[in-house]
Amino acid sequence: MSLFGTDPKPVASLLANPWGTPASTAQSQPGQTASVFANLNNPQQQSQATPLSGLGASSKPATSSNPFGNIQPQPQPTNTRQLFSVPQKQNQTQANQPSIFGPKPEAGPNTQNSQGDGQSRQNTEGGQQATYFTSLLEKNKKRQRGAQEESNLGDVPSLQLGFGDLRKRIRELAGGGVQSQEKRGADSKAHYLLAASGVNPGTTVRDLDNFNVHSSAAAAIQTPVGWDPDSHRYVEQLQQQSTLKMIAEGISRTQCNFDAYVEENIDINWEAQRKKIYEHFGLTPKGDDGLPGGISYPNLRGRGSFGRSGRGGRGSTANPPGQGTPNRSIFGRSGMQKSVIGTPGTGSGNPPIFIDVAEKASQIPLQKNDRHFREKQEKFAEKVQQLNAARLQEHVYPVLHEFAYVEGQSAGESPSQLIDAYKALIEIVHENPNVTSLTDPRAIKQRQWANEYLDESLNTAAALKIRTTIINGSRKALEKQFYQGLESLVVRNPREASLGGVPTVINKVRAYIRIRNARKDLAPDGVELQILNDDYCWALVFFLLRSGFVKEAAEYVTGNANAFRAIDPNFVTWITTFASNANRRLPRGQHAQINTDYQRRVRVAPEGSLDPYRAACIKVIGRCELSKRSIDSISQGVEDWIWLQFSLAREVNRAEEVANEVYGLAEVQETIKEIGERHFSKGSEGPGGYGTYFFLQILGGLFENAVAYLYAHSYVAAVHFAIALDFYGLLRVSDFSLTEPELLTYDTKEHPQISFGRMMGYYTRDFRASNVVAAVDYLALICLNADLLGDIGKSQASLCHEALRELVLETREFAQLLGDIRSDGTRIKGAIEQRLKIIGIADQEAFLRTVTLQAASVADDNGRTTDAVLLYHLAEDYDNVIIIINRALSDSIVIDIDQEALRLQPLKPRAPPQHQQQLPDGSSLSLTTVDNPSDLARNMISLYNSNALYYQRIRSANRDSCGVLLRISEAKAKVAVGSWAEALDIISSLSLLPLNANSSIPVIRSHAQTLTSLPSTISRLIGPLLLWTMTCISRQRELLSGDGGQGGFESDTRRAMREELVGKAKDLMVFAGLVKLRLGKGVWDGIVGGAGDVGVY
């Protein structure tokens, strides 16, 4: 708003239109600020039309600097008045023809309002300059009226300038024509800067326009060839243009082929590469997904940190998380974000692969990869192979017993607790090695405990059953372990034991007590033990309970009932009820009575007066004082202490039990975890000391934690414990597609789970290059979890299939994995096909065909012809077999005769060399030893010709091409040995060259036109074939000339034969001239030289 009140209405610019065109009055716009000086120094904020905007064009806002140079006008909006301006008067009579100086020329310049820097200078220069400019403008108006119809001044900018600026602008218009304000206004300063530096902007722009860096050979080809009277020069120009066009097409085709190869073979995870780079240079810690400085980038689909990936993701069948299948179909390119089986490598690098294990392994000595280590792996591989064989035959296989045997037989530093852990699992799952049939009621089937163990509820019957089974099995394992130690001690010390008599359980326990008493470690000093008939009665009962012989203990007490009633009147009843109850629980009344008696005797009895074994027996039978789960007065080891925990633990319905009497498997597990955190932290356990904590975890049912803990110390043992646990359904597994590369993870309910698929895949790194069949057996175990409900089961099956696919492509053991073919074409099953029953494939033929086709495609892309031929044959794609053979034949024929012949890479044998002599005759098609493409082609053609089922599935064009290529290969072999006439006969029989044209131009032209319809594998050989033919003609003519002088005269037959050869050479010259552009480098020169030798010219 103006300082002087209401703003006047917008008026037409004083310099709006000096040539009579109606002026465009710009719509008034308010200034950017309320200051009266706001518009004096910021002309770019205005939106009013420029003074010359009405010259034949609509008005445009002034958005740039002055197009005439450094002098910048300062336009003002029409609705804002300057502080020292004079009010305007609008002349109504001049509305149709406004003048740039007001209504009349005689009016002084002070009577009009100025709008710019040029108008302000006119006010200061006086009337003389105004009169001079008026006359100049009138003359210009007269000149423009005469040329108004011929000139177009719509692009001329506004005349809001001084005289100096006008003179400069006139010179520019005279020199370079009219330029638009939009083009010149934005870079006028740059022009002056370049001019000051000695650079001519106009010349430079023209030079840059002439030099187009993006021009291609194709643009030059489009240039039409001008007619030249000289026909020879005109033909040369056509040939040059054709050559350039061929070069451009070749470049374009090469680029397309390269892009296609990159698209199909290169799969780079840019996010993972970026993370590795940051971790390598220390910008982020390992395992941290963040970037340095807290920078984060959105993980956009199809976009990485290094820009948008050019890969199109062909055939992508991405599924949302939780769909069970990988991100892409296993039948296409690998859909996993990371490899299932890990990258191939030598040695063992399994522990550092998992992030969580690598942290522990950094403080643990590396495992020795020596002969004993490898022998142990081989023995375990044999057991796994036997396990899968039993699964295929539907037999029972005692996997725990077999693995424990291998662990016990292998020499090394493995602790004895690993064998004890296997024995504990045997007691938990009730595995019986004497059962072989699944119909036996005692048989433990595959995945028998999966439903109970994976039940996430707490008080269901299945959950109570599995917890009770673990408690009872662990207690029994500890009791058997103690009794075995007891027997061993008695055997080693026969004098102190004084066993004598019948070696019953009670007698053995008596002998054990005598040894302990002789060694002064039966009881602490000063403690008196009660004696009954020369026996430490309470010690005898306790050690019978410790050995698991509860019935024997009850029989011993009842046999001495009177003596025991004299000592404790209720103990006979308690132990009899305890032994007869399946769950080893006393009724509620007896339980309250025994707890009261225990509390009274322990607290009231003087120190040293109570037999400690009596208190221990009462504590075990009555589960007394659960808050204190130890016996201080009796020396105990780790096994004795953990046995006491399982003896006191019971699984009950917690909603119905008294709170202070609840002590079950969950409490035992918490106790074991506390022990591990306190005594078995990172690196604190000594060599072999990890076995104790692992054994405790197995006893407590912490199977996932136990496997993860053992993996850092002995990954071979951990892998096979995981196999045994998963076989019986006692292992929770994680989803490969939803978890990070960590061995131990937790689900949403904090249940631990093991990455079983990764574990199996990474373990095969040690031997899959040398024993690929064993790797198949381990990977097939991933499908043990295919029976899981929901998407997790489907995900595990897909993971197994993906791992097998990666194994096939990596090891290239196609004959062993996918099968082989006999000489009669019948198929020999491979290792994968033999195990289809246990890898959970619904459509077995589709899987094998798809995996085989994909392996064949990879082999073909990598140039492994024999592999591709075998795989396409196994996939029953016989037409592709012939296509690959044709390509190999063409590649071998195109090589010059004087160069080394092409040799194929032989197929890896189906059996190791030491076992090949055991194979029956004709068991394979000898593809393993074929390195000559011609021999390979003859073998396959003879096989397919003998069977109509094969023959009918091959296109006739490919069959004919293969026959022609074999004949060409035969002709090349004849040329190489100098059989010129035989080579000519073979080439002539092919009818590819006009050898029988007899100088007939139509026939020769027909052969040239037929060349375009030939397959590329044959058409590319025309050049070498011409050279060989010309060589044969030349050499055969020399032979006829040299041997023709018999008897001093020459026969007519030889002369006719030489003339015929010369005619053939002439026909070949004409043919070569017609197809000159299709011949290879140097072919034309060679033909011309050969024609000269023949005598064509």
Side-chain angles (χ1 to χ4, degrees), residues 415-431:
S416 61
Q417 287 86 353
L418 298 183
I419 302 176
D420 296 336
Y422 276 117
K423 294 179 180 179
L425 290 175
I426 290 172
E427 295 299 328
I428 292 174
V429 302
H430 311 300
E431 185 181 86

Side-chain angles (χ1 to χ4, degrees), residues 18-307:
W19 284 284
T21 306
S24 299
T25 304
Q27 184 179 358
S28 62
Q29 297 288 343
Q32 298 295 328
T33 179
S35 173
V36 294
F37 300 104
N39 297 325
L40 298 179
N41 297 321
N42 193 9
Q44 296 181 356
Q45 295 179 357
Q46 310 306 319
S47 60
Q48 183 169 344
T50 56
L52 294 183
S53 60
L55 299 180
S58 61
S59 62
K60 297 181 180 180
T63 60
S64 61
S65 60
N66 189 357
F68 292 94
N70 294 329
I71 301 177
Q72 300 180 356
Q74 305 293 331
Q76 298 291 334
T78 57
N79 60 348
T80 303
R81 302 175 60 183
Q82 296 186 9
L83 184 62
F84 300 104
S85 61
V86 180
Q88 301 181 17
K89 292 183 179 180
Q90 186 174 2
N91 191 351
Q92 300 296 333
T93 61
Q94 299 293 335
N96 297 330
Q97 189 75 13
S99 173
I100 61 174
F101 292 109
K104 295 181 180 180
E106 58 270 12
N110 295 328
T111 61
Q112 301 297 330
N113 184 22
S114 62
Q115 292 193 15
D117 225 9
Q119 188 75 15
S120 300
R121 266 197 309 274
Q122 291 178 17
N123 292 333
T124 58
E125 289 177 355
Q128 184 177 359
Q129 294 180 355
T131 304
Y132 173 76
F133 187 69
T134 302
S135 61
L136 180 62
L137 184 59
E138 290 297 335
K139 294 179 181 180
N140 185 61
K141 287 168 61 177
K142 292 179 181 180
R143 181 178 63 81
Q144 292 296 334
R145 289 192 187 98
Q148 185 174 3
E149 297 180 357
E150 300 178 0
S151 62
N152 183 13
L153 300 178
D155 294 333
V156 178
S158 304
L159 281 176
Q160 194 175 352
L161 306 169
F163 288 121
D165 295 328
L166 285 175
R167 285 194 296 270
K168 186 181 297 183
R169 183 57 180 161
I170 291 172
R171 286 195 298 268
E172 291 177 359
L173 291 176
V178 180
Q179 299 182 357
S180 63
Q181 183 176 354
E182 288 85 354
K183 184 176 180 180
R184 286 277 300 173
D187 55 356
S188 60
K189 294 183 178 180
H191 287 181
Y192 284 110
L193 181 61
L194 292 173
S197 302
V199 179
N200 190 341
T203 305
T204 304
V205 170
R206 286 193 297 270
D207 293 341
L208 292 176
D209 291 338
N210 294 331
F211 179 71
N212 187 3
V213 295
H214 298 286
S215 62
S216 61
I221 296 172
Q222 300 299 329
T223 305
V225 180
W227 171 255
D228 196 323
D230 190 351
S231 60
H232 180 70
R233 185 180 302 173
Y234 179 72
V235 172
E236 286 183 352
Q237 292 177 357
L238 287 177
Q239 182 178 359
Q240 182 181 6
Q241 294 297 323
S242 301
T243 304
L244 292 175
K245 186 176 181 180
M246 292 177 60
I247 293 173
E249 292 177 353
I251 294 173
S252 176
R253 185 167 55 254
T254 303
Q255 291 176 348
C256 294
N257 293 339
F258 177 77
D259 293 340
Y261 178 82
V262 171
E263 171 74 18
E264 187 169 356
N265 293 277
I266 298 180
D267 188 4
I268 299 178
N269 189 340
W270 292 113
E271 292 295 332
Q273 295 297 325
R274 171 185 61 81
K275 183 179 178 182
K276 289 181 180 179
I277 291 173
Y278 279 116
E279 291 179 355
H280 174 74
F281 289 101
L283 299 178
T284 57
K286 290 187 177 181
D288 187 6
D289 293 334
L291 294 177
I295 302 175
S296 61
Y297 293 97
N299 188 10
L300 300 179
R301 181 180 179 88
R303 183 180 294 272
S305 297
F306 297 128

Side-chain angles (χ1 to χ4, degrees), residues 514-665:
R514 295 189 191 102
I515 297 174
R516 293 282 300 271
N517 186 43
R519 295 182 178 182
K520 305 298 182 181
D521 62 349
L522 184 62
D525 295 338
V527 176
E528 295 182 1
L529 302 180
Q530 291 185 355
I531 300 176
L532 180 63
N533 297 330
D534 296 332
D535 292 330
Y536 293 105
C537 57
W538 294 111
L540 180 60
V541 173
F542 174 79
F543 285 119
L544 284 173
L545 294 176
R546 176 68 179 85
S547 301
F549 298 105
V550 180
K551 291 183 179 180
E552 285 78 0
E555 291 175 358
Y556 173 77
V557 172
T558 55
N560 299 277
N562 295 329
F564 275 98
R565 284 193 179 96
I567 300 173
D568 191 337
N570 298 319
F571 185 76
V572 177
T573 305
W574 294 338
I575 194 170
T576 304
T577 307
F578 180 79
S580 61
N581 189 282
N583 296 324
R584 294 189 178 183
R585 297 196 66 183
L586 298 178
R588 189 172 296 277
Q590 293 184 8
H591 182 267
Q593 184 183 11
I594 195 173
N595 274 274
T596 303
D597 184 75
Y598 177 81
Q599 294 292 338
R600 177 176 57 82
R601 290 183 181 275
V602 171
R603 292 180 180 179
V604 176
E607 183 179 358
S609 63
L610 181 65
D611 192 331
Y613 288 100
R614 179 181 179 183
C617 292
I618 297 175
K619 185 177 184 67
V620 171
I621 294 174
R623 299 179 68 236
C624 303
E625 198 177 4
L626 292 178
S627 59
K628 183 180 180 182
R629 297 180 296 275
S630 62
I631 305 175
D632 298 333
S633 56
I634 298 177
S635 60
Q636 290 180 305
V638 176
E639 291 80 3
D640 298 323
W641 176 85
I642 194 65
W643 170 82
L644 181 61
Q645 310 306 309
F646 285 105
S647 298
L648 298 177
R650 298 290 187 276
E651 279 298 329
V652 295
N653 192 336
R654 296 174 182 258
E656 301 175 357
E657 192 71 15
V658 180
N660 60 352
E661 296 182 1
V662 173
Y663 183 73
L665 183 63

Side-chain angles (χ1 to χ4, degrees), residues 627 629 641-642 645 663 665-682 684 693 696-697 700 702 705:
S627 59
R629 297 180 296 275
W641 176 85
I642 194 65
Q645 310 306 309
Y663 183 73
L665 183 63
E667 286 72 20
V668 176
Q669 291 176 346
E670 290 297 327
T671 303
I672 294 175
K673 290 179 181 179
E674 292 177 3
I675 293 175
E677 295 175 357
R678 185 180 305 173
H679 302 286
F680 298 94
S681 57
K682 297 180 181 179
S684 61
Y693 184 51
L696 292 178
Q697 289 177 311
L702 299 171
N705 302 80

Side-chain angles (χ1 to χ4, degrees), residues 747-956:
D747 60 9
T748 55
K749 296 184 178 180
E750 292 300 319
H751 293 146
Q753 51 189 8
I754 288 292
S755 182
F756 186 75
R758 281 193 178 96
M759 180 189 291
M760 294 298 107
Y762 292 167
Y763 178 69
T764 60
R765 294 180 62 194
D766 293 350
F767 53 84
R768 63 175 178 249
S770 58
N771 192 355
V772 67
V773 178
V776 174
D777 285 316
Y778 278 96
L779 296 179
L781 295 174
I782 301 176
C783 264
L784 285 171
N785 304 291
D787 61 345
L788 298 177
L789 300 178
D791 295 331
I792 182 67
K794 299 178 182 178
S795 174
Q796 294 298 313
S798 300
L799 185 64
C800 175
H801 305 159
E802 179 68 19
L804 292 173
R805 187 195 67 85
E806 290 186 14
L807 181 68
V808 171
L809 299 180
E810 178 189 312
T811 59
R812 208 172 66 84
E813 298 285 355
F814 303 123
Q816 294 190 59
L817 297 178
L818 299 178
D820 203 349
I821 50 177
R822 296 186 176 92
S823 56
D824 57 353
T826 57
R827 179 170 184 166
I828 303 173
K829 291 184 177 181
I832 295 178
E833 190 172 0
Q834 293 173 0
R835 293 162 177 78
L836 287 178
K837 186 177 179 180
I838 61 175
I839 59 177
I841 296 177
D843 192 348
Q844 299 179 359
E845 293 184 0
F847 173 77
L848 282 177
R849 177 178 174 83
T850 307
V851 172
T852 305
L853 284 176
Q854 187 175 13
S857 177
V858 173
D860 189 18
D861 292 340
N862 295 336
R864 301 195 298 267
T865 303
T866 53
D867 293 347
V869 167
L870 173 63
L871 293 172
Y872 276 121
H873 178 84
L874 295 176
E876 300 180 356
D877 193 353
Y878 309 120
D879 190 60
N880 247 334
V881 172
I882 301 301
I883 291 175
I884 295 174
I885 290 176
N886 291 345
R887 188 167 62 246
L889 280 174
S890 180
D891 292 339
S892 64
I893 294 172
V894 79
I895 297 176
D896 293 340
I897 295 177
D898 56 348
Q899 295 182 359
E900 184 179 358
L902 176 66
R903 295 296 177 185
L904 301 177
Q905 184 179 2
L907 183 74
K908 288 188 177 182
R910 183 166 49 91
Q914 60 270 21
H915 301 301
Q916 286 186 1
Q917 64 271 15
Q918 302 176 5
L919 296 176
D921 295 336
S923 62
S924 184
L925 191 59
S926 300
L927 289 177
T928 57
T929 58
V930 172
D931 59 357
N932 190 335
S934 299
D935 296 339
L936 178 63
R938 292 188 183 93
N939 289 339
M940 301 307 297
I941 287 296
S942 62
L943 172 63
Y944 293 160
N945 288 338
S946 63
N947 194 327
L949 295 177
Y950 301 151
Y951 186 84
Q952 293 174 357
R953 299 177 65 175
I954 303 173
R955 290 182 295 176
S956 59

Side-chain angles (χ1 to χ4, degrees), residues 361-377:
S362 61
Q363 302 179 8
I364 299 174
L366 296 177
Q367 305 175 42
K368 295 181 179 180
N369 190 1
D370 53 6
R371 179 176 59 86
H372 299 293
F373 180 84
R374 292 189 295 271
E375 289 178 354
K376 182 178 180 180
Q377 283 188 319

